[in-house]
């Protein structure tokens, strides 16, 4: 049981790390570092870099919450720690 719990926790931490990296790339990378090249592209009447800084990072963050919830529910069922 202890090894199973350690595997569960390791997979949980790996998932969190991946999702946080995606969020950092989108919010910090696209919204700040790459804003000038992205501003050459227009989306919905706004430069893409501006869109990422103002709305895109928030949308991605909300999507990542749903992805985390979905994947954690699946992981919980896999390790039989789900709430039934």
């Amino acid at each position: 049981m202890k090894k199973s719990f350690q595997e569960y926790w390791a997979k949980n931490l790996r998932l969190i790390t991946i999702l946080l990296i995606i969020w950092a790339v989108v919010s910090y990378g696209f919204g700040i570092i790459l804003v000038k090249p992205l501003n050459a592209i227009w989306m919905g009447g706004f430069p893409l870099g501006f869109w990422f800084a103002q709305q895109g990072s928030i949308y991605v963050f909300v999507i990542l919450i749903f992805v985390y919830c979905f994947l954690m529910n699946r992981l919980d069922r896999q390790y039989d720690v789900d709430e039934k």
Side-chain angles (χ1 to χ4, degrees), residues 58-70:
I58 296 170
Y59 289 151
V60 170
F61 184 71
V62 171
I63 291 169
L64 290 177
I65 290 172
F66 286 110
V67 168
Y68 177 75
C69 183
F70 173 77

